[in-house]
Amino acid sequence: MASVLDVRRAEERFHTRTDWLDSRHSFSFSRHWDPANTHFGLLLVSNDDVVAPGTGFDTHPHRDMEIVTWVLEGSLVHQDSEGHNGVIYPGLAQRMSAGTGILHSEKNDSWTLTGRPEHQTPVRFLQMWTIPDAAGIQPGYEQLDINDELARGGWVTLASGMPEHTNQRAIAIRQQHAALHVARIRPGETLELPTSPFAHLFIARGSAELEGAGPLGTGDAARITGSDGRRITGGPDGAEALVWEMTAAVTVG
């Protein structure tokens, strides 16, 4: 099957803006609905959120979803009904399995846990949802600092349920057909994307040149069906890129 490339620019994404939240959505989310843009592969949600200090998402429920959070700037407080709580910061991989049901909140108020002075720094983070292998699993939580691995260069497997990544992933997800990789690409450095039936590339910051697509900037994404290992090269200031490698897709209908 020939590789099919679909580039989605940052300005084309759905946009939600309130007095405390600035969020851009890659797929249909909340009040934004497009039946032709509900998912790609197994990825159902890819939100780029900026939350003002002292605010955030109040306690709300999730069920039967694997939720990966990746902070880019600032810090985010996670608290859930399973008793997990802590501060997520850049370079800390975090996954929450909603399973049979979980309640959680996400706030930009780290001083409530650390006792440090209240700050005025927004937090920017990506939140990505994929379906689990099976419904009704036990809710769970996992996190790991991968800053040292990122500093060494190349792709780091942030989260995966693929058997081949068992000994090289930072955190596990309950989806054997999906893996998320992240890299802080240096200016002029070239990396190869995974060869996979579905690959979703997102430029979280900076810029890069994608083989066959040209320049990609912050917030741009590429959806590749029949990903053939094409190359990505860091722009003048480098790039932070995330790519989902997926061997299956959501069944519709």
Side-chain angles (χ1 to χ4, degrees), residues 5 7 18 39 59 65 79 111 127 156 186 193 215 224 243:
L5 177 65
V7 173
T18 69
H39 67 283
T59 302
M65 199 66 64
Q79 295 181 305
W111 58 85
Q127 190 163 94
V156 178
R186 301 177 181 93
L193 297 184
I224 310 170
V243 60

Side-chain angles (χ1 to χ4, degrees), residues 11-250:
E11 62 271 15
E12 298 171 349
R13 304 173 83 197
F14 299 121
H15 190 199
T16 297
R17 188 175 182 90
T18 69
D19 58 346
W20 62 272
L21 172 68
D22 191 334
S23 182
R24 294 190 180 271
H25 320 290
S26 292
F27 308 105
S28 296
F29 188 82
S30 186
R31 63 181 177 85
H32 302 286
W33 175 250
D34 176 358
N37 184 27
T38 58
H39 67 283
F40 180 74
L42 294 166
L43 188 61
L44 278 70
V45 169
S46 181
N47 290 345
D48 187 346
D49 294 335
V50 178
V51 172
T55 68
F57 298 94
D58 290 327
T59 302
H60 57 282
H62 289 286
R63 186 182 181 91
D64 290 328
M65 199 66 64
E66 297 292 284
I67 300 174
V68 178
T69 300
W70 183 247
V71 172
L72 295 162
E73 299 168 17
S75 60
L76 184 71
V77 172
H78 166 96
Q79 295 181 305
D80 66 45
S81 54
E82 293 290 304
H84 306 110
N85 66 82
V87 179
I88 312 170
Y89 52 83
L92 183 74
Q94 188 250 40
R95 176 268 299 159
M96 184 181 74
S97 297
T100 53
I102 197 168
L103 300 170
H104 81 140
S105 64
E106 296 155 306
K107 299 285 188 71
N108 182 7
D109 60 357
S110 61
W111 58 85
T112 62
L113 292 184
T114 65
R116 294 177 180 173
E118 185 172 334
H119 65 249
Q120 295 300 314
T121 306
V123 58
R124 179 183 170 217
F125 64 99
L126 307 178
Q127 190 163 94
M128 299 154 283
W129 303 4
T130 184
I131 59 171
D133 287 327
I137 65 173
Q138 182 68 26
Y141 180 92
E142 189 178 7
Q143 66 179 44
L144 185 71
D145 188 311
I146 58 172
N147 277 297
D148 288 346
E149 289 80 0
L150 287 168
R152 287 195 282 268
W155 293 113
V156 178
T157 303
L158 192 163
S160 178
M162 292 183 173
E164 57 264 40
H165 296 143
T166 299
N167 296 320
Q168 63 185 62
R169 64 195 178 196
I171 54 177
I173 55 173
R174 283 292 302 268
Q175 177 46 261
Q176 63 181 321
H177 299 290
L180 173 62
H181 312 281
V182 59
R184 291 174 180 164
I185 308 172
R186 301 177 181 93
E189 180 184 11
T190 297
L191 300 177
E192 190 173 290
L193 297 184
T195 299
S196 182
F198 303 95
H200 184 274
L201 172 70
F202 182 75
I203 306 300
R205 53 183 161 200
S207 64
E209 184 95 7
L210 176 62
E211 185 178 2
L216 298 177
T218 300
D220 289 349
R223 306 176 188 187
I224 310 170
T225 304
S227 178
D228 52 5
R230 66 185 68 211
R231 294 169 295 179
I232 180 173
T233 301
D237 298 317
E240 184 160 339
L242 297 96
V243 60
W244 280 92
E245 172 189 1
M246 297 169 284
T247 60
V250 174

